[in-house]
Amino acid sequence: MLNVHSYESMGTFDGPGLRLVVFLQGCNFKCLYCANPDTITLKGGTPTDVEEIVKMAISQKAFFGKRGGVTVSGGEPTLQAKGLIKLFKRLKEEGIHTCIDSNGSVYNDDVDELLNYVDIVLLDVKHFNPEWHKKITNQTNDKTLLMAKRLEERGIKFWLRYVLVPEYTDQVEHMNALGEYFKEFKHLERMEILPYHTLGKHKYEHLDMPYHLEGVKDNTPKQLEQAKALFEKYIKHVVVN
């Protein structure tokens, strides 16, 4: 069983091609800019049998083509790694491409086994500086960076995802340090810059939760272009998602 928050069919922003995106309930980070604060708590969600998700994926398989498939996001999907092993085994049996979108902070025996059935990982690096990372997520980034090294060692393809938040993640020295760290990774296929937005702000009001980035403005096109140009000095394929 997996505790599912919601689904998105024909997603185009969570991995290659068209994808069925499964959002799981529960996260161990508390990102200040989280667009889905309703997925943070471990409570809630819908207990769902793996075969139900497999049937949904098979019904959409014709639309996936050669590149698409299933992405499991969250929340933080690796918190439910044991259930994901069963799901991804079945998806591979059905010839369906698999992907997880993860903050990389969980690595145990279940996650180690799960990676045997993962085609690509979307690795969310919230900040390269550990103090800023903790300020943003309430956790340090050492485990995330360790996950990146493990993916590289195991030859697992991955994409970096980086949310560009004005005054929080746009410090040039730390962005350069991030690029320098990852420039030699052979299995890093691309980097996605995710623009900061406030589309999920209304959810905080609905949940009676404070929104801590009040007054922070969306990125300008120039800010996004400058960030892209900076990271392109280190990483071959950089896109603004």
Side-chain angles (χ1 to χ4, degrees):
M1 299 290 283
L2 288 167
N3 199 20
V4 176
H5 175 270
S6 57
Y7 303 91
E8 178 185 354
S9 296
M10 306 306 154
T12 57
F13 294 103
D14 296 282
L18 288 175
R19 311 192 70 81
L20 167 63
V21 186
V22 184
F23 296 93
L24 300 187
Q25 185 72 36
C27 187
N28 56 339
F29 278 12
K30 295 181 179 178
C31 298
L32 296 180
Y33 53 75
C34 181
N36 297 301
D38 45 327
T39 68
I40 295 176
T41 177
L42 293 172
K43 299 178 181 178
T46 303
T48 305
D49 188 88
V50 163
E51 285 302 319
E52 185 176 330
I53 301 173
V54 173
K55 288 178 182 178
M56 191 181 305
I58 291 173
S59 72
Q60 298 181 23
K61 187 176 179 180
F63 300 99
F64 295 156
K66 294 181 179 180
R67 299 180 68 243
V70 174
T71 295
V72 180
S73 185
E76 174 47 45
T78 57
L79 295 176
Q80 300 187 50
K82 190 177 289 293
L84 280 181
I85 292 170
K86 297 177 182 178
L87 173 63
F88 278 22
K89 275 185 177 180
R90 286 287 293 114
L91 292 175
K92 297 312 294 177
E93 288 172 2
E94 298 295 338
I96 295 174
H97 186 277
T98 58
C99 172
I100 58 170
D101 181 5
S102 172
N103 62 36
S105 66
V106 179
Y107 200 92
N108 51 34
D109 289 344
D110 289 332
V111 174
D112 187 67
E113 182 178 355
L114 171 64
L115 290 176
N116 292 327
Y117 309 100
V118 175
D119 290 307
I120 194 167
V121 175
L122 309 183
L123 185 63
D124 299 297
V125 178
K126 312 298 184 180
H127 205 293
F128 189 71
N129 178 272
E131 293 180 4
W132 271 100
H133 191 281
K134 191 168 185 178
K135 184 184 297 186
I136 293 168
T137 70
N138 203 37
Q139 303 282 342
T140 59
N141 63 359
D142 54 328
K143 293 179 181 178
T144 302
L145 297 179
L146 181 59
M147 172 66 86
K149 286 187 175 182
R150 284 173 169 150
L151 295 175
E152 178 73 3
E153 290 167 358
R154 294 185 59 171
I156 298 171
K157 297 176 183 178
F158 70 103
W159 296 359
L160 283 185
R161 305 188 108 187
Y162 190 81
V163 182
L164 191 68
V165 186
E167 302 179 22
Y168 283 82
T169 68
D170 63 348
Q171 305 96 333
V172 171
E173 67 271 28
H174 297 312
M175 293 167 68
N176 275 312
L178 174 63
E180 189 70 35
Y181 183 85
F182 280 103
K183 70 178 183 180
E184 301 296 338
F185 279 63
K186 296 180 180 179
H187 298 286
L188 170 58
E189 289 197 329
R190 72 190 241 169
M191 179 175 191
E192 295 187 332
I193 300 172
L194 308 182
Y196 167 72
H197 61 75
T198 57
L199 297 178
K201 185 179 175 182
H202 68 283
K203 297 181 182 179
Y204 288 82
E205 298 170 359
H206 178 72
L207 295 169
D208 196 25
M209 294 171 60
Y211 187 72
H212 295 288
L213 297 187
E214 193 71 52
V216 176
K217 297 180 179 179
D218 293 359
N219 305 114
T220 65
K222 183 177 180 181
Q223 288 172 333
L224 294 169
E225 289 171 10
Q226 289 176 334
K228 183 174 185 290
L230 183 154
F231 285 124
E232 283 177 334
K233 294 187 299 182
Y234 306 98
I235 298 169
K236 196 171 188 179
H237 189 188
V238 181
V239 299
V240 176
N241 197 337

